[in-house]
Amino acid sequence: MATRLSIAKADIIKVFDKLPVRVLRQAEIGRLLEENRAFWRLAQSTSLGLFIKYLLESTKLQKVHLPLPHRAETLFIWGAVSPYVVASAAKPGAYLCHYTAMHLHELTDQVPETIYANFEQRPVAPPASPPTQASIDAAFRRPQRLTTNICPLWDKRLCMVNGKHTGRRGVEEKTDADGLPFSVTGIERTLIDITVRPAYAGGVSEVLEAYRRAADRVSLNKLSATLKKMEFVYPYEQSIGFYLEHSGAYEASRIELFRAHPFKFDFYLTYAMKKTEYSARWRVHFPAGL
């Protein structure tokens, strides 16, 4: 004997097929159920749990569990979905970043096995006291802190970075090969992120190559404006200026934008460097041989 769910199956599939997104949370499926319950002629006794169970067994709905150590997430996907679409939907407001954004913008030849996504922190007050040369030196002598919020995502890994609050500044919307939307940092924001966290970008050599490859597409005015609006405590304009100049891909006059104000501190291209060289022009210590 046919059930009301099986009788309504074709109409249910039509609704899901027309959705603009293919990654859903349980609450969103619940909303669809309540909005369409009458049209589908489903009884009030058809609970959300029963509805989802039927969809998993009888349609192309699939469950994806992301066992992130800090807080696991359970998502539902409708049909075939790329891991990039899933990763950018792993947390509300999340977006792809760092090495993944480099790959998507063709700033590297590498195809990282780890997918990086950023889930921004809540706004926090600025530090009570500004940095000093001693505090900068001490911070960069140590290894950079890296997230442990990592889990498998099919044949890849998902690394969820809990970045500073920016209101998703510099994030843009893209679509994958199937036309499905996802969020990713634009080229300017990507260059800033990988300068700040080179460990999430394959290291400083990969960051330098990304600057070379971005030369004919990046707006240095937009890069500078985005950096200022992100309000970092550390002087990353020195690192960015160094990368731009050291890449050999930019005219000197364009780079002067990042020397608009006198530099107060010596800075570091990355953390815990063993052998270093020093750029007096940018007041930046960088790995020897870069």
Side-chain angles (χ1 to χ4, degrees):
M1 182 177 177
T3 66
R4 284 305 319 164
L5 281 167
S6 63
I7 293 170
K9 179 178 177 180
D11 289 327
I12 293 171
I13 290 173
K14 285 180 183 178
V15 169
F16 277 79
D17 278 342
K18 290 179 181 178
L19 292 174
V21 296
R22 293 289 185 268
V23 182
L24 304 163
R25 285 180 162 73
Q26 181 170 298
E28 293 165 323
I29 297 176
R31 177 179 54 79
L32 290 171
L33 171 61
E34 294 311 314
E35 288 176 353
N36 294 278
R37 184 187 291 276
F39 176 70
W40 292 334
R41 298 183 181 179
L42 301 180
Q44 288 299 320
S45 59
T46 302
S47 66
L48 177 57
L50 180 62
F51 183 62
I52 290 176
K53 182 176 183 293
Y54 175 78
L55 294 179
L56 291 172
E57 293 174 349
S58 305
T59 71
K60 56 186 177 182
L61 189 74
Q62 301 174 60
K63 181 189 286 189
V64 178
H65 182 63
L66 301 175
L68 290 162
H70 296 181
R71 180 179 175 179
E73 297 284 346
T74 298
L75 306 174
F76 297 89
I77 62 173
W78 184 252
V81 176
S82 76
Y84 298 120
V85 173
V86 174
S88 72
K91 299 280 186 181
Y95 50 88
L96 305 181
C97 60
H98 294 90
Y99 220 168
T100 303
M102 287 168 60
H103 167 65
L104 292 168
H105 290 302
E106 299 181 337
L107 300 180
T108 177
D109 286 331
Q110 304 301 315
V111 183
E113 291 302 310
T114 298
I115 298 177
Y116 292 88
N118 191 341
F119 177 57
E120 294 188 356
Q121 303 172 29
R122 294 177 180 176
V124 296
S129 56
T132 64
Q133 188 64 64
S135 68
I136 292 172
D137 293 343
F140 281 83
R141 275 197 296 267
R142 300 188 294 267
Q144 190 170 35
R145 290 187 300 172
L146 300 176
T147 184
T148 58
N149 206 21
I150 300 171
C151 73
L153 174 54
W154 297 326
D155 62 340
K156 296 184 180 294
R157 298 193 315 163
L158 171 62
C159 177
M160 187 59 65
V161 180
N162 195 203
K164 70 172 292 181
H165 178 79
T166 72
R168 289 167 53 94
R169 186 171 299 281
V171 175
E172 60 188 37
E173 301 303 310
K174 284 188 173 292
T175 55
D176 67 4
D178 296 316
L180 300 178
F182 62 87
S183 300
V184 60
T185 53
I187 288 180
E188 290 80 12
R189 172 64 190 274
T190 299
L191 292 177
I192 293 170
D193 285 351
I194 64 179
T195 298
V196 174
R197 292 285 184 267
Y200 296 149
V204 294
S205 294
E206 277 286 283
V207 174
L208 181 61
E209 180 61 20
Y211 273 85
R212 288 195 186 103
R213 293 184 176 221
D216 62 347
R217 290 180 287 156
V218 66
S219 164
L220 296 192
N221 286 329
K222 184 176 180 180
L223 179 62
S224 176
T226 302
L227 179 68
K228 288 176 182 176
K229 289 175 180 177
M230 291 178 72
E231 298 181 336
F232 287 105
V233 172
Y234 289 146
Y236 287 110
E237 65 274 8
Q238 293 171 228
S239 298
I240 289 174
F242 173 84
Y243 277 124
L244 292 169
E245 187 170 85
H246 204 60
S247 73
Y250 299 83
E251 296 177 3
S253 59
R254 297 178 65 199
I255 302 172
E256 287 302 308
L257 179 64
F258 294 89
R259 294 178 54 84
H261 303 287
F263 300 149
K264 296 180 180 180
F265 304 110
D266 285 350
F267 198 49
Y268 298 82
L269 208 61
T270 189
Y271 291 73
M273 292 181 287
K274 301 299 182 183
K275 295 182 179 180
T276 65
E277 297 178 45
Y278 180 71
S279 167
R281 175 169 161 78
W282 294 101
R283 294 188 64 178
V284 166
H285 298 274
F286 60 96
L290 179 66

